[in-house]
Amino acid sequence: MIPSPLLSRPGAVEGGGPEAGVAAHYGDPFREQRLLAEGQAVVDLANHGVVTVSGPDRLSWLNTLSSQLLLGLRPGQSSETLLLTVQGRIEHSVHVVDDGAVAWLITEGSEATPLAAWLERMKFMLRVEVTDATDAWAVLGATRALPELGDDVVVWEDPWPSIGSGGYAYSTVDDAGHPGRERPWFEYLVPRDSLEAAVTSTGLALAGSLAAEALRIAAWRPRHGFETDEKTIPHELDLLRTAVHLAKGCYKGQETVARVHNLGHPPRRLTFLHLDGSQHTLPAVGSAVLSEGRTVGRVTSVGHHYEMGPIALAVLKRSADASADLLVQDGEEVYAAGQEVIVAPDAGQVVGRATGFLKGPR
């Protein structure tokens, strides 16, 4: 991972793990988070990966490989798609925007090289060129549009939490009440060697990754490598909402997506946790979630929200009682946790809402 030039800013404290290479904060995490939420700060996402796909066949080719309908994607239109295994498990999660000549794919930093290599192997005789452009391009995040960066900048606008055409909601809240509505999200592609100048041109403050993560968790927004593991299928994370088109043509993993959606329930479910803040610490990612003394899942993301206090996302067994108060155990530390159900235990049978296709009886 190439360290971001913004780490030279006064007060910058580098993050660890997936956030290595960018600042976790610049000295005042809660102020940074509030400014980011209000659209008065940007966040350095230079630890993300960037892969480009050019050539006249790029969108039709990507469409055949992935879970989302990408045919007809207009220049500047944003989408999200998944690359699945044959068993329907999430292998890559990709933010997609096309500028009319190039499809830009934004990924987690560790995913760019394997994604580019996998795409290269799938080219066959099609007119496409794949490039891992992470060394040349960086990403800036914001909660509002940034006209200060100019009209020519490529920007991905997060479709979350809107239910796309052919999508389906597995969550228990109506669309208007979804907390993701409070967090619009934009990712700007900036030449890496111009990152410092780009931030200066906005006139906005800098926020660290801790701020961005807390807002993401509060928006119930899954993140690849955090909420996912080697067994994750899209239904468990409510990703049919934005990343899957249920009426498009064949792609790898489609059979599992359709079978679980039409005949069964996802085996696990994403939930939001309000953590007891009296201990002034946070449990580690991976900590066990307990119900009546039994382990029913694990914490996948954790943060400290500037208004709600300690919060987390967790992936639980579908059988876990949706009305129960939970405990989170991190070694000898135990945290009380109240849950807000995101993906319901009966998801797909009662609470799902579809757009763009007809869902037949079970």
Side-chain angles (χ1 to χ4, degrees):
M1 179 60 62
I2 305 170
S4 170
L6 298 178
L7 279 174
S8 64
R9 286 288 188 100
V13 176
E14 185 174 0
E19 311 296 5
V22 297
H25 63 85
Y26 296 88
D28 196 343
F30 291 122
R31 178 177 180 274
E32 294 165 25
Q33 189 183 147
R34 178 176 55 78
L35 291 175
L36 183 63
E38 294 172 352
Q40 299 302 311
V42 294
V43 60
D44 182 8
L45 301 177
N47 57 326
H48 283 46
V50 180
V51 175
T52 61
V53 181
S54 58
D57 296 331
R58 65 191 182 280
L59 291 180
S60 59
W61 177 61
L62 289 170
N63 186 73
T64 64
L65 300 174
S66 66
S67 62
Q68 186 57 273
L69 182 64
L70 299 177
L71 291 175
L73 193 68
R74 301 184 305 276
Q77 182 182 1
S78 301
S79 188
E80 178 184 18
T81 194
L82 305 172
L83 298 174
L84 306 176
T85 68
V86 173
Q87 295 79 22
R89 294 164 181 169
I90 299 174
E91 196 164 19
H92 296 285
S93 177
V94 182
H95 301 169
V96 184
V97 60
D98 192 87
D99 65 7
V102 177
W104 297 82
L105 314 181
I106 302 173
T107 72
E108 294 295 327
S110 62
E111 293 295 308
T113 297
L115 173 61
W118 186 85
L119 291 172
E120 189 69 31
R121 293 195 299 271
M122 301 299 294
K123 284 170 55 173
F124 304 113
M125 299 298 291
L126 295 173
R127 298 169 295 170
V128 293
E129 294 296 331
V130 178
T131 303
D132 183 350
T134 306
D135 289 352
W137 291 86
V139 183
L140 276 180
T143 59
R144 65 169 176 86
L146 298 176
E148 302 92 334
L149 292 178
D151 296 332
D152 297 330
V153 66
V154 177
V155 55
W156 179 79
E157 183 176 356
D158 192 353
W160 185 266
S162 298
I163 308 170
S165 175
Y168 196 87
Y170 274 60
S171 62
T172 59
V173 300
D174 61 31
D175 294 341
H178 196 290
R181 296 289 177 197
E182 300 177 12
R183 175 198 169 263
W185 190 251
F186 301 82
E187 294 179 354
Y188 287 84
L189 287 153
V190 178
R192 190 172 285 269
D193 58 7
S194 301
L195 186 59
E196 182 73 59
V199 172
T200 300
S201 72
T202 68
L204 301 178
L206 266 174
S209 61
L210 290 176
E213 279 296 278
L215 297 184
R216 177 185 69 82
I217 294 166
W220 299 357
R221 188 37 160 138
R223 181 176 174 185
H224 188 62
F226 287 68
E227 279 59 61
T228 63
D229 58 23
E230 70 282 356
K231 296 181 180 180
T232 304
I233 59 175
H235 320 61
E236 297 174 332
L237 306 182
D238 201 19
L239 282 173
L240 272 70
R241 173 185 290 273
T242 54
V244 176
H245 194 291
L246 289 167
K248 64 160 287 189
C250 294
Y251 57 92
K252 188 169 70 170
Q254 182 190 35
E255 182 179 352
T256 297
V257 170
R259 183 173 64 252
V260 173
H261 180 64
N262 290 309
L263 301 177
H265 303 287
R268 299 180 297 182
R269 60 180 181 85
L270 184 66
T271 195
F272 177 78
L273 300 179
H274 293 273
L275 300 173
D276 176 19
S278 63
Q279 293 162 273
H280 308 292
T281 58
L282 295 173
V285 169
S287 296
V289 180
L290 308 178
S291 178
E292 298 181 347
R294 296 183 300 109
T295 297
V296 295
R298 65 181 183 90
V299 170
T300 56
S301 296
V302 64
H304 202 129
H305 193 270
Y306 73 109
E307 290 182 331
M308 290 187 285
I311 56 176
L313 292 174
V315 174
L316 308 181
K317 296 177 182 178
R318 183 172 67 87
S319 60
D321 185 351
S323 63
D325 289 330
L326 304 172
L327 296 175
V328 173
Q329 185 165 13
D330 179 7
E332 296 183 358
E333 297 290 338
V334 178
Y335 304 78
Q339 63 172 312
E340 283 188 52
V341 174
I342 299 177
V343 174
D346 57 356
Q349 229 174 17
V350 177
V351 301
R353 297 177 306 286
T355 68
F357 74 105
L358 295 177
K359 181 172 169 52
R362 297 182 182 276

